[in-house]
Amino acid sequence: VIWMTQSPSLLSASTGDRVIISCRLSQGVGTSLAWYRHQPGKAPELLIYAASTLQSGVPSRFTGSGSGTDFTLTINSLQSEDFATYYCQQYYTLPRTFGPGTKVEIK
Amino acid sequence: DVQLVESGGGLVQPGGSLTLSCATSGFIFSNFWMSWVRQAPGKGLEWVANIKQDGSEKNYVDSVRGRFTISRDNAKNSLYLQLSSLGADDMAVYYCGYGGYFFNYWGQGTLVTVSS
């Protein structure tokens, strides 16, 4: 099983801020990593796959980078709908595993 | 538009069983792996199972293997998850997801409550 950590677990920010979320894995996955945004009461949304490929329809303020065991999600100019919880997920091997989440809250 | 709509959740006693369904539209269902992911109250996301396009390959997380069964009906564009021997740890919102690796689209989820 590939274990994942995310930092920070909680991030306080304001609209317009730039935020960076980190995801670290217990073993390398190449670029087999995805990022999701999960707003309360809604379905999770795929933002990034293959570590840095923006899903169709996702705003360009979201950027993913990294490979191996260390990845980051950057959100430029935070919008109101971005106050949510973010998860990384590896799909290099089974079982698919998610990070514990990073909650982005309003400062 | 891609749509996934889960149903079948509800209150079940410990040790009980339940079958969840996911009705899909807006994409060629039979061309894609499908998955179930769950979220326990106050917890993060946990992948549960996935199934190949023709149903010939199924994978499960260890904690549900032998108790849950994933299946699909390509003629009905529907995905299923049979849950049995349910315990408190299985209480969660269950989401169906389009994809077997990462999940392009998700449903709104259906809540399974395990309680006597």
CSV table of all heavy atoms in Angstrom, one decimal, chain A residues 1 34 36 38 41-46 48-50 55-56 87 89-91 94-100, chain B residues 33 37 39 43-48 50 57 59-62 95 100-109:
chain,number,residue,atom,x,y,z
A,1,VAL,N,0.8,-1.2,0.0
A,1,VAL,CA,0.0,0.0,0.0
A,1,VAL,C,0.9,1.3,0.0
A,1,VAL,O,1.9,1.3,0.7
A,1,VAL,CB,-0.9,0.0,1.2
A,1,VAL,CG1,-1.8,1.3,1.2
A,1,VAL,CG2,-1.8,-1.2,1.3
A,34,ALA,N,-3.2,12.4,-9.2
A,34,ALA,CA,-4.3,13.3,-9.5
A,34,ALA,C,-4.6,14.2,-8.2
A,34,ALA,O,-4.3,13.8,-7.1
A,34,ALA,CB,-5.5,12.5,-9.9
A,36,TYR,N,-7.9,16.5,-6.5
A,36,TYR,CA,-9.4,16.8,-6.5
A,36,TYR,C,-9.7,17.9,-5.6
A,36,TYR,O,-9.1,18.1,-4.6
A,36,TYR,CB,-10.2,15.6,-6.1
A,36,TYR,CG,-9.9,14.3,-6.9
A,36,TYR,CD1,-8.8,13.5,-6.6
A,36,TYR,CD2,-10.7,14.0,-8.0
A,36,TYR,CE1,-8.6,12.3,-7.3
A,36,TYR,CE2,-10.5,12.9,-8.7
A,36,TYR,CZ,-9.4,12.0,-8.4
A,36,TYR,OH,-9.2,10.9,-9.1
A,38,HIS,N,-13.0,19.2,-3.3
A,38,HIS,CA,-14.2,18.7,-2.7
A,38,HIS,C,-14.9,19.7,-1.9
A,38,HIS,O,-14.4,20.0,-0.8
A,38,HIS,CB,-14.0,17.4,-1.9
A,38,HIS,CG,-15.2,16.6,-1.6
A,38,HIS,ND1,-15.3,15.6,-0.6
A,38,HIS,CD2,-16.5,16.8,-2.0
A,38,HIS,CE1,-16.5,15.2,-0.6
A,38,HIS,NE2,-17.3,15.8,-1.4
A,41,GLY,N,-20.9,18.9,0.6
A,41,GLY,CA,-22.2,18.6,0.0
A,41,GLY,C,-22.2,18.4,-1.5
A,41,GLY,O,-23.3,18.2,-2.1
A,42,LYS,N,-21.1,18.5,-2.1
A,42,LYS,CA,-21.0,18.3,-3.6
A,42,LYS,C,-20.1,17.1,-3.9
A,42,LYS,O,-19.4,16.6,-3.1
A,42,LYS,CB,-20.4,19.6,-4.2
A,42,LYS,CG,-21.3,20.8,-4.1
A,42,LYS,CD,-20.7,21.9,-5.0
A,42,LYS,CE,-21.7,23.1,-5.0
A,42,LYS,NZ,-21.2,24.2,-5.9
A,43,ALA,N,-20.2,16.7,-5.2
A,43,ALA,CA,-19.3,15.7,-5.7
A,43,ALA,C,-17.9,16.2,-5.8
A,43,ALA,O,-17.7,17.4,-6.2
A,43,ALA,CB,-19.8,15.2,-7.0
A,44,PRO,N,-16.9,15.4,-5.5
A,44,PRO,CA,-15.5,15.8,-5.7
A,44,PRO,C,-15.3,16.1,-7.2
A,44,PRO,O,-16.0,15.5,-8.1
A,44,PRO,CB,-14.7,14.6,-5.3
A,44,PRO,CG,-15.6,13.8,-4.3
A,44,PRO,CD,-17.0,14.0,-4.8
A,45,GLU,N,-14.4,17.0,-7.5
A,45,GLU,CA,-14.1,17.3,-8.9
A,45,GLU,C,-12.6,17.1,-9.2
A,45,GLU,O,-11.7,17.5,-8.4
A,45,GLU,CB,-14.3,18.8,-9.1
A,45,GLU,CG,-15.7,19.4,-8.8
A,45,GLU,CD,-15.6,20.9,-8.8
A,45,GLU,OE1,-15.6,21.5,-9.9
A,45,GLU,OE2,-15.6,21.5,-7.7
A,46,LEU,N,-12.4,16.4,-10.3
A,46,LEU,CA,-11.0,16.2,-10.8
A,46,LEU,C,-10.4,17.5,-11.3
A,46,LEU,O,-11.0,18.2,-12.1
A,46,LEU,CB,-11.0,15.2,-11.9
A,46,LEU,CG,-9.6,14.9,-12.5
A,46,LEU,CD1,-8.6,14.3,-11.6
A,46,LEU,CD2,-9.8,14.0,-13.8
A,48,ILE,N,-6.6,17.9,-11.7
A,48,ILE,CA,-5.3,17.6,-12.3
A,48,ILE,C,-5.1,16.1,-12.4
A,48,ILE,O,-5.5,15.4,-11.4
A,48,ILE,CB,-4.1,18.2,-11.5
A,48,ILE,CG1,-4.3,19.7,-11.3
A,48,ILE,CG2,-2.8,17.8,-12.1
A,48,ILE,CD1,-3.8,20.6,-12.4
A,49,TYR,N,-4.6,15.6,-13.5
A,49,TYR,CA,-4.1,14.2,-13.5
A,49,TYR,C,-2.8,14.1,-14.2
A,49,TYR,O,-2.3,15.2,-14.7
A,49,TYR,CB,-5.2,13.3,-14.3
A,49,TYR,CG,-5.4,13.7,-15.7
A,49,TYR,CD1,-4.7,13.1,-16.7
A,49,TYR,CD2,-6.3,14.7,-16.0
A,49,TYR,CE1,-4.9,13.4,-18.1
A,49,TYR,CE2,-6.6,15.0,-17.4
A,49,TYR,CZ,-5.8,14.4,-18.4
A,49,TYR,OH,-6.0,14.7,-19.7
A,50,ALA,N,-2.1,13.0,-14.1
A,50,ALA,CA,-0.8,12.9,-14.6
A,50,ALA,C,0.1,14.0,-14.0
A,50,ALA,O,1.0,14.5,-14.7
A,50,ALA,CB,-0.7,12.9,-16.1
A,55,GLN,N,-7.4,19.0,-16.1
A,55,GLN,CA,-8.6,18.4,-16.6
A,55,GLN,C,-9.4,19.5,-17.4
A,55,GLN,O,-9.4,20.7,-17.1
A,55,GLN,CB,-9.5,17.9,-15.4
A,55,GLN,CG,-10.9,17.5,-15.7
A,55,GLN,CD,-11.0,16.2,-16.6
A,55,GLN,OE1,-10.1,15.8,-17.2
A,55,GLN,NE2,-12.2,15.7,-16.6
A,56,SER,N,-10.0,19.0,-18.5
A,56,SER,CA,-10.8,19.9,-19.3
A,56,SER,C,-11.8,20.7,-18.5
A,56,SER,O,-12.6,20.1,-17.7
A,56,SER,CB,-11.5,19.1,-20.4
A,56,SER,OG,-12.4,19.9,-21.2
A,87,TYR,N,-7.6,16.9,-2.2
A,87,TYR,CA,-7.1,15.6,-2.0
A,87,TYR,C,-6.1,15.2,-3.2
A,87,TYR,O,-6.5,15.5,-4.3
A,87,TYR,CB,-8.2,14.5,-2.0
A,87,TYR,CG,-9.1,14.6,-0.8
A,87,TYR,CD1,-10.3,15.3,-0.9
A,87,TYR,CD2,-8.8,14.0,0.4
A,87,TYR,CE1,-11.2,15.4,0.2
A,87,TYR,CE2,-9.7,14.1,1.5
A,87,TYR,CZ,-10.9,14.8,1.4
A,87,TYR,OH,-11.7,14.8,2.4
A,89,GLN,N,-4.3,11.9,-5.0
A,89,GLN,CA,-4.6,10.4,-5.2
A,89,GLN,C,-3.6,9.8,-6.1
A,89,GLN,O,-3.3,10.3,-7.2
A,89,GLN,CB,-6.0,10.2,-5.7
A,89,GLN,CG,-6.4,8.8,-5.9
A,89,GLN,CD,-6.8,8.5,-7.4
A,89,GLN,OE1,-7.4,9.3,-8.1
A,89,GLN,NE2,-6.5,7.2,-7.8
A,90,GLN,N,-3.0,8.7,-5.7
A,90,GLN,CA,-2.1,8.0,-6.6
A,90,GLN,C,-2.9,6.8,-7.3
A,90,GLN,O,-3.8,6.2,-6.8
A,90,GLN,CB,-0.9,7.4,-5.9
A,90,GLN,CG,-1.2,6.3,-4.9
A,90,GLN,CD,-1.3,4.9,-5.5
A,90,GLN,OE1,-0.9,4.7,-6.6
A,90,GLN,NE2,-2.0,4.0,-4.7
A,91,TYR,N,-2.5,6.6,-8.6
A,91,TYR,CA,-3.1,5.5,-9.4
A,91,TYR,C,-2.0,4.7,-10.0
A,91,TYR,O,-2.3,4.0,-11.0
A,91,TYR,CB,-4.1,6.1,-10.4
A,91,TYR,CG,-3.7,7.2,-11.3
A,91,TYR,CD1,-3.2,6.9,-12.6
A,91,TYR,CD2,-3.8,8.5,-10.9
A,91,TYR,CE1,-2.8,7.9,-13.4
A,91,TYR,CE2,-3.4,9.5,-11.8
A,91,TYR,CZ,-2.9,9.2,-13.0
A,91,TYR,OH,-2.5,10.2,-13.9
A,94,LEU,N,-2.5,-0.6,-7.1
A,94,LEU,CA,-3.6,-0.9,-6.3
A,94,LEU,C,-3.2,-1.2,-4.9
A,94,LEU,O,-2.1,-1.8,-4.7
A,94,LEU,CB,-4.4,-2.2,-6.8
A,94,LEU,CG,-5.1,-2.0,-8.2
A,94,LEU,CD1,-5.5,-3.3,-8.7
A,94,LEU,CD2,-6.3,-1.1,-8.0
A,95,PRO,N,-3.9,-0.9,-3.9
A,95,PRO,CA,-5.2,-0.1,-4.0
A,95,PRO,C,-4.9,1.3,-4.3
A,95,PRO,O,-3.9,1.9,-3.9
A,95,PRO,CB,-5.8,-0.3,-2.5
A,95,PRO,CG,-4.6,-0.4,-1.7
A,95,PRO,CD,-3.6,-1.2,-2.4
A,96,ARG,N,-5.8,2.0,-5.0
A,96,ARG,CA,-5.7,3.4,-5.2
A,96,ARG,C,-5.8,4.0,-3.8
A,96,ARG,O,-6.6,3.6,-3.0
A,96,ARG,CB,-6.9,3.9,-6.0
A,96,ARG,CG,-7.1,3.2,-7.3
A,96,ARG,CD,-6.0,3.2,-8.3
A,96,ARG,NE,-6.3,2.5,-9.5
A,96,ARG,CZ,-5.5,1.7,-10.2
A,96,ARG,NH1,-4.2,1.5,-9.8
A,96,ARG,NH2,-5.8,1.2,-11.4
A,97,THR,N,-5.0,5.0,-3.6
A,97,THR,CA,-5.0,5.7,-2.3
A,97,THR,C,-5.1,7.2,-2.4
A,97,THR,O,-4.5,7.8,-3.4
A,97,THR,CB,-3.8,5.3,-1.4
A,97,THR,OG1,-2.6,5.3,-2.2
A,97,THR,CG2,-4.0,3.8,-0.9
A,98,PHE,N,-5.7,7.8,-1.4
A,98,PHE,CA,-5.8,9.3,-1.3
A,98,PHE,C,-5.0,9.8,-0.2
A,98,PHE,O,-4.8,9.1,0.8
A,98,PHE,CB,-7.3,9.6,-1.1
A,98,PHE,CG,-8.2,9.4,-2.2
A,98,PHE,CD1,-8.8,8.1,-2.4
A,98,PHE,CD2,-8.5,10.4,-3.1
A,98,PHE,CE1,-9.7,7.9,-3.4
A,98,PHE,CE2,-9.4,10.2,-4.2
A,98,PHE,CZ,-10.0,8.9,-4.3
A,99,GLY,N,-4.6,11.0,-0.3
A,99,GLY,CA,-4.0,11.7,0.8
A,99,GLY,C,-5.1,12.1,1.8
A,99,GLY,O,-6.3,12.0,1.5
A,100,PRO,N,-4.8,12.5,3.0
A,100,PRO,CA,-5.8,12.8,4.1
A,100,PRO,C,-6.5,14.1,3.8
A,100,PRO,O,-7.5,14.3,4.5
A,100,PRO,CB,-4.9,12.9,5.3
A,100,PRO,CG,-3.6,13.3,4.8
A,100,PRO,CD,-3.4,12.6,3.5
B,33,TRP,N,-13.6,1.7,-17.3
B,33,TRP,CA,-13.6,1.2,-15.9
B,33,TRP,C,-14.5,2.1,-15.1
B,33,TRP,O,-14.6,3.3,-15.4
B,33,TRP,CB,-12.1,1.3,-15.4
B,33,TRP,CG,-11.2,0.2,-15.8
B,33,TRP,CD1,-10.5,0.1,-17.0
B,33,TRP,CD2,-10.7,-0.9,-15.0
B,33,TRP,NE1,-9.7,-1.0,-17.0
B,33,TRP,CE2,-9.8,-1.6,-15.8
B,33,TRP,CE3,-11.0,-1.3,-13.7
B,33,TRP,CZ2,-9.1,-2.7,-15.4
B,33,TRP,CZ3,-10.3,-2.5,-13.3
B,33,TRP,CH2,-9.4,-3.2,-14.1
B,37,VAL,N,-15.9,4.9,-4.4
B,37,VAL,CA,-15.1,5.6,-3.4
B,37,VAL,C,-16.0,6.0,-2.3
B,37,VAL,O,-17.2,6.3,-2.5
B,37,VAL,CB,-14.4,6.8,-4.0
B,37,VAL,CG1,-13.6,7.6,-3.0
B,37,VAL,CG2,-13.5,6.4,-5.2
B,39,GLN,N,-16.5,8.0,1.7
B,39,GLN,CA,-16.1,8.9,2.7
B,39,GLN,C,-16.8,8.8,4.0
B,39,GLN,O,-18.0,9.1,4.0
B,39,GLN,CB,-16.2,10.4,2.2
B,39,GLN,CG,-15.6,11.4,3.1
B,39,GLN,CD,-15.7,12.8,2.5
B,39,GLN,OE1,-16.6,13.2,1.8
B,39,GLN,NE2,-14.7,13.6,2.8
B,43,LYS,N,-14.1,12.1,7.7
B,43,LYS,CA,-12.9,11.5,7.3
B,43,LYS,C,-12.6,11.9,5.8
B,43,LYS,O,-13.4,12.5,5.2
B,43,LYS,CB,-12.9,10.0,7.4
B,43,LYS,CG,-13.2,9.5,8.8
B,43,LYS,CD,-12.1,9.8,9.8
B,43,LYS,CE,-12.3,9.1,11.1
B,43,LYS,NZ,-11.2,9.4,12.1
B,44,GLY,N,-11.5,11.4,5.3
B,44,GLY,CA,-11.1,11.6,3.9
B,44,GLY,C,-11.7,10.6,3.0
B,44,GLY,O,-12.6,9.7,3.3
B,45,LEU,N,-11.3,10.6,1.7
B,45,LEU,CA,-11.8,9.7,0.7
B,45,LEU,C,-11.0,8.4,0.7
B,45,LEU,O,-9.8,8.4,1.0
B,45,LEU,CB,-11.6,10.4,-0.7
B,45,LEU,CG,-12.3,11.7,-0.9
B,45,LEU,CD1,-11.9,12.3,-2.2
B,45,LEU,CD2,-13.8,11.5,-0.9
B,46,GLU,N,-11.8,7.3,0.5
B,46,GLU,CA,-11.2,6.0,0.5
B,46,GLU,C,-11.7,5.2,-0.8
B,46,GLU,O,-12.9,5.0,-0.9
B,46,GLU,CB,-11.5,5.2,1.7
B,46,GLU,CG,-10.9,3.8,1.7
B,46,GLU,CD,-11.3,3.0,2.9
B,46,GLU,OE1,-12.5,3.1,3.4
B,46,GLU,OE2,-10.5,2.1,3.4
B,47,TRP,N,-10.8,4.8,-1.6
B,47,TRP,CA,-11.1,4.0,-2.7
B,47,TRP,C,-11.6,2.6,-2.2
B,47,TRP,O,-11.0,2.0,-1.3
B,47,TRP,CB,-9.9,3.8,-3.7
B,47,TRP,CG,-10.1,2.8,-4.8
B,47,TRP,CD1,-10.7,3.1,-6.0
B,47,TRP,CD2,-9.7,1.5,-4.8
B,47,TRP,NE1,-10.7,2.0,-6.8
B,47,TRP,CE2,-10.1,1.0,-6.1
B,47,TRP,CE3,-9.1,0.6,-3.9
B,47,TRP,CZ2,-9.9,-0.4,-6.5
B,47,TRP,CZ3,-8.8,-0.7,-4.3
B,47,TRP,CH2,-9.2,-1.2,-5.6
B,48,VAL,N,-12.7,2.1,-2.8
B,48,VAL,CA,-13.3,0.9,-2.4
B,48,VAL,C,-13.1,-0.3,-3.4
B,48,VAL,O,-12.7,-1.4,-3.0
B,48,VAL,CB,-14.8,1.0,-2.1
B,48,VAL,CG1,-15.5,-0.3,-1.8
B,48,VAL,CG2,-15.0,2.1,-1.0
B,50,ASN,N,-13.0,-1.3,-8.0
B,50,ASN,CA,-13.2,-0.9,-9.4
B,50,ASN,C,-13.5,-2.1,-10.2
B,50,ASN,O,-13.3,-3.3,-9.8
B,50,ASN,CB,-12.0,-0.1,-10.0
B,50,ASN,CG,-10.7,-0.8,-10.1
B,50,ASN,OD1,-10.6,-2.0,-9.9
B,50,ASN,ND2,-9.6,-0.1,-10.3
B,57,GLU,N,-12.6,-8.1,-14.7
B,57,GLU,CA,-11.6,-7.8,-13.6
B,57,GLU,C,-12.2,-6.9,-12.6
B,57,GLU,O,-12.8,-5.9,-12.9
B,57,GLU,CB,-10.3,-7.2,-14.3
B,57,GLU,CG,-9.2,-7.0,-13.3
B,57,GLU,CD,-7.9,-6.5,-13.9
B,57,GLU,OE1,-7.8,-6.6,-15.1
B,57,GLU,OE2,-7.1,-5.9,-13.2
B,59,ASN,N,-11.3,-5.3,-8.6
B,59,ASN,CA,-10.3,-5.1,-7.5
B,59,ASN,C,-11.0,-4.4,-6.3
B,59,ASN,O,-11.9,-3.6,-6.5
B,59,ASN,CB,-9.2,-4.2,-8.0
B,59,ASN,CG,-8.5,-4.8,-9.2
B,59,ASN,OD1,-7.8,-5.8,-9.1
B,59,ASN,ND2,-8.7,-4.1,-10.4
B,60,TYR,N,-10.5,-4.8,-5.1
B,60,TYR,CA,-11.1,-4.3,-3.9
B,60,TYR,C,-10.0,-3.8,-2.9
B,60,TYR,O,-8.9,-4.4,-2.9
B,60,TYR,CB,-11.9,-5.4,-3.2
B,60,TYR,CG,-13.1,-5.9,-4.0
B,60,TYR,CD1,-12.9,-7.0,-4.8
B,60,TYR,CD2,-14.3,-5.3,-4.0
B,60,TYR,CE1,-13.9,-7.5,-5.6
B,60,TYR,CE2,-15.4,-5.8,-4.7
B,60,TYR,CZ,-15.2,-6.9,-5.5
B,60,TYR,OH,-16.2,-7.4,-6.3
B,61,VAL,N,-10.3,-2.9,-2.1
B,61,VAL,CA,-9.5,-2.6,-0.9
B,61,VAL,C,-9.6,-3.7,0.1
B,61,VAL,O,-10.6,-4.4,0.1
B,61,VAL,CB,-9.9,-1.2,-0.3
B,61,VAL,CG1,-11.2,-1.3,0.4
B,61,VAL,CG2,-8.8,-0.7,0.6
B,62,ASP,N,-8.5,-4.0,0.8
B,62,ASP,CA,-8.5,-5.2,1.7
B,62,ASP,C,-9.6,-5.2,2.7
B,62,ASP,O,-10.2,-6.2,3.0
B,62,ASP,CB,-7.2,-5.2,2.4
B,62,ASP,CG,-6.0,-5.8,1.6
B,62,ASP,OD1,-6.3,-6.2,0.4
B,62,ASP,OD2,-4.9,-5.7,2.0
B,95,TYR,N,-19.6,7.0,-3.2
B,95,TYR,CA,-19.6,7.7,-4.5
B,95,TYR,C,-19.2,6.7,-5.6
B,95,TYR,O,-18.3,5.9,-5.4
B,95,TYR,CB,-18.6,8.8,-4.6
B,95,TYR,CG,-18.7,10.0,-3.6
B,95,TYR,CD1,-18.0,10.0,-2.4
B,95,TYR,CD2,-19.6,11.0,-3.9
B,95,TYR,CE1,-18.2,11.0,-1.5
B,95,TYR,CE2,-19.7,12.1,-3.0
B,95,TYR,CZ,-19.0,12.1,-1.8
B,95,TYR,OH,-19.2,13.1,-1.0
B,100,GLY,N,-11.0,4.0,-13.7
B,100,GLY,CA,-10.5,3.0,-12.9
B,100,GLY,C,-9.1,3.4,-12.3
B,100,GLY,O,-8.6,2.7,-11.4
B,101,TYR,N,-8.6,4.5,-12.8
B,101,TYR,CA,-7.3,4.9,-12.3
B,101,TYR,C,-7.5,6.2,-11.5
B,101,TYR,O,-7.4,6.2,-10.3
B,101,TYR,CB,-6.4,5.1,-13.5
B,101,TYR,CG,-6.0,3.8,-14.2
B,101,TYR,CD1,-6.8,3.3,-15.2
B,101,TYR,CD2,-4.9,3.1,-13.8
B,101,TYR,CE1,-6.6,2.1,-15.8
B,101,TYR,CE2,-4.6,1.9,-14.4
B,101,TYR,CZ,-5.5,1.4,-15.4
B,101,TYR,OH,-5.2,0.2,-16.0
B,102,PHE,N,-7.8,7.3,-12.2
B,102,PHE,CA,-8.3,8.5,-11.5
B,102,PHE,C,-9.8,8.7,-11.9
B,102,PHE,O,-10.2,8.0,-12.8
B,102,PHE,CB,-7.4,9.7,-11.8
B,102,PHE,CG,-7.3,10.0,-13.3
B,102,PHE,CD1,-8.2,10.8,-14.0
B,102,PHE,CD2,-6.2,9.4,-14.0
B,102,PHE,CE1,-8.0,11.0,-15.4
B,102,PHE,CE2,-6.0,9.7,-15.3
B,102,PHE,CZ,-6.9,10.4,-16.0
B,103,PHE,N,-10.5,9.6,-11.3
B,103,PHE,CA,-11.9,9.6,-11.5
B,103,PHE,C,-12.3,11.0,-12.1
B,103,PHE,O,-12.4,12.0,-11.4
B,103,PHE,CB,-12.5,9.3,-10.1
B,103,PHE,CG,-11.9,8.2,-9.4
B,103,PHE,CD1,-11.1,8.4,-8.3
B,103,PHE,CD2,-11.9,6.9,-10.0
B,103,PHE,CE1,-10.4,7.3,-7.7
B,103,PHE,CE2,-11.2,5.9,-9.4
B,103,PHE,CZ,-10.5,6.1,-8.2
B,104,ASN,N,-12.7,10.9,-13.4
B,104,ASN,CA,-13.0,12.1,-14.1
B,104,ASN,C,-14.3,12.8,-13.6
B,104,ASN,O,-14.4,14.0,-13.6
B,104,ASN,CB,-13.2,11.8,-15.6
B,104,ASN,CG,-11.9,11.1,-16.2
B,104,ASN,OD1,-11.5,10.0,-15.8
B,104,ASN,ND2,-11.3,11.8,-17.2
B,105,TYR,N,-15.2,11.9,-13.3
B,105,TYR,CA,-16.5,12.5,-12.8
B,105,TYR,C,-17.0,11.6,-11.6
B,105,TYR,O,-16.7,10.4,-11.5
B,105,TYR,CB,-17.6,12.4,-13.9
B,105,TYR,CG,-17.3,13.3,-15.1
B,105,TYR,CD1,-16.6,12.8,-16.2
B,105,TYR,CD2,-17.5,14.7,-15.0
B,105,TYR,CE1,-16.3,13.6,-17.3
B,105,TYR,CE2,-17.2,15.5,-16.1
B,105,TYR,CZ,-16.6,15.0,-17.2
B,105,TYR,OH,-16.3,15.8,-18.3
B,106,TRP,N,-17.8,12.2,-10.8
B,106,TRP,CA,-18.3,11.6,-9.6
B,106,TRP,C,-19.8,11.9,-9.5
B,106,TRP,O,-20.2,12.9,-9.9
B,106,TRP,CB,-17.6,12.1,-8.3
B,106,TRP,CG,-16.1,12.0,-8.2
B,106,TRP,CD1,-15.2,12.6,-9.1
B,106,TRP,CD2,-15.4,11.4,-7.2
B,106,TRP,NE1,-14.0,12.4,-8.7
B,106,TRP,CE2,-14.0,11.7,-7.5
B,106,TRP,CE3,-15.7,10.7,-6.0
B,106,TRP,CZ2,-13.0,11.2,-6.7
B,106,TRP,CZ3,-14.7,10.3,-5.2
B,106,TRP,CH2,-13.3,10.5,-5.5
B,107,GLY,N,-20.5,11.0,-8.8
B,107,GLY,CA,-21.9,11.3,-8.4
B,107,GLY,C,-21.9,12.1,-7.2
B,107,GLY,O,-20.9,12.4,-6.6
B,108,GLN,N,-23.1,12.4,-6.7
B,108,GLN,CA,-23.3,13.1,-5.5
B,108,GLN,C,-23.2,12.3,-4.2
B,108,GLN,O,-23.1,12.8,-3.1
B,108,GLN,CB,-24.7,13.8,-5.5
B,108,GLN,CG,-24.9,14.8,-6.6
B,108,GLN,CD,-24.2,16.2,-6.3
B,108,GLN,OE1,-23.8,16.4,-5.2
B,108,GLN,NE2,-24.1,17.0,-7.3
B,109,GLY,N,-23.2,11.0,-4.4
B,109,GLY,CA,-23.1,10.1,-3.3
B,109,GLY,C,-24.4,9.6,-2.7
B,109,GLY,O,-25.4,10.3,-2.8
